[in-house]
Amino acid sequence: MPRCRFPSLIVLTCLVLFCAARPALAADIDTAAKALDRLLAQMPPSARTTAAVSGEAEPRQGEVVLTLDARAVRLGQGPGWLFGLTLPDGEKRVAFVAADGSSHFAPTTELPAGLSPISLPDAAADTGPIADRQTAVAAVTDRLLGHSLQGRRVYVANDPVSDDITVPLLRGSVSLSGGPGWLFFIDDVPQANWSHGCRFVLAATDGTLHVVPAMLPPADLAGFTELTVWPPAQPAQTSALPTASVETAKAAAAKAAIDVPAATDASHRYAVILSGGYNQQNNHVRYWNDCSYFFTTLKAAGFLQNNIYVLFADGTDPAIDNSLGLNSNTDLNNDTIQDIKYSATKANITTVFNELAGKLGSQDILYIFTTDHGGPADGNTAPYAAANVVLNLWGEDITNAEFAAEVNKVQAGAVAAIFEQCFSGGMIEPLKAPNRVLMSAARYWELSYAMGPDYTYDEFSFYVTQALADPTKGDSNGDGVVTLEEAYSYGLAKDSVQAETLDLGGDNNGEHPSYYSNPWYLGRQLALGGRYPTAKAPTYGGYAQYQTGDAFPTGATAQNWKGTDQYWPLSLPFAFPLGGQSYTSASVSSHGIIHFANPSASGENTINGLAASVAVAPLWDRLTTAGDGDDIAVSSSAQSVTVVWKAKTVADARPVNVAARLYPSGAVRFFYGAGNQHTSRVAGRDKTIGVAAGTAASMLLGLRNGLPDLGAANALLIQPSTLPPPSTGLPWQELLLQ
């Protein structure tokens, strides 16, 4: 779920919510007309009246999988209805609305055959007086939400509204007029953390639904009754993982410690774990679980109890402090020791970092882990072009600049940080400095997400911690050490919240974990056991990656390959090995990717999509080379083939200048010129970088995937792991690649 300014739960579109007033959600959508209403309710208001809609009259049964742009796309489980959408700008979408109310949208260049045009219903025709609360619930459910509460949390105020009303929020307020009537609060993205899209609705007695969008929940939900149950089940807070899993993680970490002793003595390794939750209603159990899992992993890696500083919610206060109506357990790993000693306040953050500043020096390493809600700072509005964000604490916020100032007091030899909350990429920006490794679940304009189906952990931080806790998961090269680079790469590949679309409230449907290391190789040397200067390069799919200082290619010949959603054939002067096969031809896409088999014209890109491709992708995105001055250029010799894209993003015409150079050895080098700024929240504009041969096991994901700005970034060399690492200034390196 997204981890945004103030916590609330995030609901993925495939989940089913159960409504007390409507007990049979599994059959909410039982006609094509209701499916159409549900489809329109899931679309942004501007698209509801301007999109051309087509569809099928009869429901599809079983699993619905379509071949879109030469790729199989799973749309959901029937029974349900299939629709096609053509937007005013010509963009196309396929949508499937299931009987349980879940819906799935997928971009495509061509709609499936057999869809018939549909006339849209008159929204004003379905109105009538609202005499009581039950009628108000039915009006909101049917008219606003399309006959289903699935995928949302919906609340109704306990008392009717007599006139206008102002609702205090966690920060600020919203006002509604048009009463008398009944007040509703709709959390549109319960699987995410705050802040994210939500709505307040006044269902007036005259039948009008007055809707006000917002980004934060009510300051106090005590005056509301929830009509949904979310999540479907949530176990009691006891330990970060089921006992067997905890013991497995401990045993794996202990074995790794024996096989590969710590490189840095425990007395020189320190950690800060921070999660606020903001208040009792928004302090979800997943934050405690995130912290518990990471704390348990630190202890298994030999960290000293007194070197771990935990600031959590209200600290040692015995009052109820979490959304389950319980007091958070201060023992994070079930050893009867009180691990939480501080409440998560700005004053305590200052106290902790002042103490660390007096203790740590150049021989020490500081590890930081944060989870909770986050969001844009005041004045930073959509599309969030500025990296000004906040992290929620207990009853207050801390800005990224304020947090960086605290961290910068500590003159440690190295600092490593993992940020899980919404907009967490903004925490990285002011912390960028030498001898630091920083990673985040999302960029500075994105929500971050909890992990289904029970949402008791956050997605990215769970997998990063799992990699660090269990070398059988995180150790990519068999050297017995799980480095921070390996943990990030594991989390990036496992993260299931993948999309570059926005929901009807303008929130991102997918998260894109970011990574920063300075120097670039520090992340492959730092592990929880300290710094391993001779650690091997991480290996995925038989490849390793390195940053190099090679200049952006010049002198390639323009091919007049100008277009959008197109690809062109390329003959190679040598056999290029990839995934156990050799290829003497390829297809160069306008979208910054080279296919060697089953080429696709789609610019829709995800990690799973790359894994299913046989391709190399320096910057796979929906790009166009059709504009003036744009083209694809090629230079070719027996030693290498270079493809250069001069393009623009289709979504917002940002310049993209990238290149890929193929070598006979199977190595490929990616280059980044001017432009390449994938910053701020824009639908359908994101990137995937890496190499794959048709399966996840064959894929290496570039460390550049989550970076917002790749303008003039250093080149990235991806080569078979059997080749020696590149060495600057040695002329024989190019010979090895050949």
Side-chain angles (χ1 to χ4, degrees):
M1 306 185 177
R3 216 135 351 288
C4 301
R5 175 166 294 182
F6 298 94
S8 196
L9 291 177
I10 298 172
V11 179
L12 296 179
T13 54
C14 61
L15 292 179
V16 179
L17 300 183
F18 297 90
C19 169
R22 301 167 62 83
L25 270 185
D28 275 352
I29 310 300
D30 53 10
T31 67
K34 285 185 177 181
L36 177 61
D37 289 344
R38 179 64 173 170
L39 171 74
L40 297 175
Q42 303 296 87
M43 294 167 57
S46 61
R48 295 173 195 167
T49 57
T50 58
V53 181
S54 56
E56 296 176 339
E58 297 300 321
R60 294 198 174 203
Q61 306 294 328
E63 186 176 26
V64 178
V65 180
L66 298 183
T67 299
L68 302 176
D69 300 325
R71 285 183 293 170
V73 177
R74 184 184 185 278
L75 292 173
Q77 188 71 30
W81 283 263
L82 186 69
F83 295 93
L85 305 172
T86 302
L87 305 180
D89 61 2
E91 297 293 303
K92 297 179 176 63
R93 302 285 186 271
V94 172
F96 179 74
V97 178
D100 66 2
S102 62
S103 56
H104 185 88
F105 293 76
T108 181
T109 56
E110 294 294 336
L111 295 177
L115 301 182
S116 301
I118 296 176
S119 298
L120 300 185
D122 182 0
D126 188 23
T127 60
I130 297 175
D132 51 34
R133 174 172 146 163
Q134 182 176 355
T135 307
V137 171
V140 169
T141 302
D142 293 335
R143 289 166 48 193
L144 185 64
L145 302 180
H147 312 288
S148 175
L149 305 185
Q150 193 276 341
R152 294 180 172 90
R153 297 185 78 171
V154 181
Y155 305 76
V156 60
N158 296 330
D159 300 316
V161 175
S162 59
D163 198 358
D164 300 348
I165 185 172
T166 296
V167 183
L169 307 180
L170 286 180
R171 177 176 291 174
S173 62
V174 297
S175 297
L176 297 95
S177 58
W182 286 263
L183 177 66
F184 292 80
F185 167 61
I186 301 172
D187 182 353
D188 284 308
V189 198
Q191 66 272 38
N193 301 300
W194 297 107
S195 53
H196 60 256
C198 57
R199 288 175 281 179
F200 291 83
V201 182
L202 178 56
T205 55
D206 66 3
T208 305
L209 299 181
H210 302 277
V211 182
V212 176
M215 289 292 288
L216 293 172
D220 188 357
L221 281 168
F224 290 79
T225 296
E226 185 170 4
L227 302 176
T228 48
V229 176
W230 176 260
Q234 193 169 69
Q237 174 188 309
T238 53
S239 65
L241 291 169
T243 301
S245 297
V246 171
E247 295 307 318
T248 299
K250 287 181 178 178
K255 181 180 184 302
I258 294 173
D259 293 343
V260 182
T264 302
D265 188 80
S267 63
H268 294 294
R269 289 179 279 143
Y270 293 80
V272 174
I273 298 174
L274 173 62
S275 177
Y278 201 82
N279 61 18
Q280 181 258 321
Q281 293 171 331
N282 289 298
N283 183 27
H284 302 301
V285 69
R286 65 179 178 270
Y287 305 135
W288 188 93
N289 285 344
D290 291 344
C291 294
S292 172
Y293 194 12
F294 193 73
F295 180 90
T296 300
T297 302
L298 292 177
K299 292 289 289 183
F303 276 66
L304 302 178
Q305 180 77 25
N306 290 336
N307 283 9
I308 307 176
Y309 297 76
V310 183
L311 302 89
F312 187 86
D314 63 354
T316 59
D317 190 326
I320 292 173
D321 71 352
N322 72 25
S323 60
L324 295 181
L326 302 172
N327 176 251
S328 296
N329 189 352
T330 58
D331 177 7
L332 292 174
N333 63 337
N334 297 325
D335 63 357
T336 73
I337 297 174
Q338 178 179 287
D339 305 310
I340 298 172
K341 296 181 180 179
Y342 300 90
S343 58
T345 64
K346 292 172 73 171
N348 284 335
I349 290 174
T350 296
T351 296
V352 166
F353 281 97
N354 282 345
E355 182 175 328
L356 291 170
K359 285 184 176 182
L360 276 63
S362 60
Q363 73 276 34
D364 299 304
I365 303 173
L366 175 61
Y367 303 81
I368 299 170
F369 178 92
T370 73
T371 184
D372 186 10
H373 305 281
D378 289 340
N380 185 17
T381 58
Y384 313 111
N388 301 326
V389 304
V390 298
L391 169 65
N392 292 159
L393 303 176
W394 185 250
E396 60 183 347
D397 300 329
I398 188 169
T399 68
N400 55 342
E402 290 171 332
F403 187 76
E406 297 292 346
V407 175
N408 289 340
K409 296 175 182 176
V410 183
Q411 300 302 304
V415 175
I418 302 165
F419 300 109
E420 168 56 38
Q421 68 275 5
C422 286
F423 295 79
S424 50
M427 305 299 286
I428 291 178
E429 296 303 314
L431 282 171
K432 288 180 176 178
N435 299 314
R436 289 184 176 174
V437 178
L438 314 168
M439 65 183 80
S440 65
R443 276 86 61 88
Y444 58 76
W445 59 88
E446 289 182 329
L447 311 184
S448 65
Y449 284 79
M451 184 170 66
D454 57 6
Y455 302 98
T456 51
Y457 292 91
D458 285 308
E459 179 99 6
F460 177 70
S461 65
F462 175 87
Y463 286 118
V464 169
T465 306
Q466 184 180 60
L468 294 169
D470 186 353
T472 65
K473 299 286 198 302
D475 181 13
S476 70
N477 53 23
D479 65 356
V481 177
V482 180
T483 63
L484 292 174
E485 181 181 318
E486 288 177 309
Y488 167 78
S489 296
Y490 180 81
L492 176 66
K494 296 289 287 185
D495 197 319
S496 66
V497 192
Q498 301 178 24
E500 54 178 353
T501 56
L502 305 183
D503 64 18
L504 81 167
D507 288 326
N508 52 285
N509 288 318
E511 62 186 18
H512 297 82
S514 293
Y515 178 83
Y516 169 88
S517 177
N518 185 0
W520 71 269
Y521 52 80
L522 180 61
R524 61 181 52 176
Q525 295 181 352
L526 280 184
L528 293 186
R531 187 165 185 170
Y532 297 81
T534 60
K536 295 165 57 179
T539 302
Y540 300 95
Y543 289 89
Q545 61 183 312
Y546 306 88
Q547 178 176 299
T548 68
D550 299 79
F552 193 83
T554 60
T557 301
Q559 302 296 301
N560 197 31
W561 291 347
K562 299 172 70 68
T564 308
D565 300 326
Q566 291 183 248
Y567 55 83
W568 299 268
L570 174 66
S571 296
L572 303 177
F574 49 77
F576 181 75
L578 179 61
Q581 302 293 321
S582 293
Y583 300 92
T584 56
S585 64
S587 297
V588 178
S589 169
S590 60
H591 299 313
I593 184 171
I594 302 174
H595 294 278
F596 295 91
N598 304 316
S600 168
S602 175
E604 181 198 8
N605 64 95
T606 62
I607 288 170
N608 287 346
L610 179 61
S613 303
V614 182
V616 300
L619 195 153
W620 183 21
D621 187 16
R622 186 127 192 267
L623 308 177
T624 178
T625 58
D628 291 342
D630 294 335
D631 203 341
I632 298 175
V634 175
S635 63
S636 181
S637 71
Q639 288 73 44
S640 65
V641 172
T642 304
V643 180
V644 182
W645 287 262
K646 182 175 175 56
K648 291 183 176 64
T649 58
V650 171
D652 58 356
R654 294 198 180 193
V656 172
N657 291 278
V658 298
R661 178 171 292 159
L662 310 178
Y663 297 93
S665 65
V668 57
R669 199 185 303 268
F670 296 156
F671 301 87
Y672 301 93
N676 311 323
Q677 294 180 324
H678 283 55
T679 55
S680 73
R681 186 183 289 177
V682 177
R685 191 212 64 204
D686 222 303
K687 61 184 182 298
T688 304
I689 298 170
V691 174
T695 65
S698 69
M699 177 175 62
L700 181 142
L701 293 169
L703 294 173
R704 306 258 193 265
N705 267 286
L707 288 180
D709 187 349
L710 286 176
N714 282 317
L716 187 66
L717 173 65
I718 298 175
Q719 65 178 34
S721 58
T722 53
L723 292 176
S727 298
T728 302
L730 295 180
W732 44 261
Q733 175 63 25
E734 288 294 319
L735 297 176
L736 289 172
L737 296 179
Q738 295 164 23

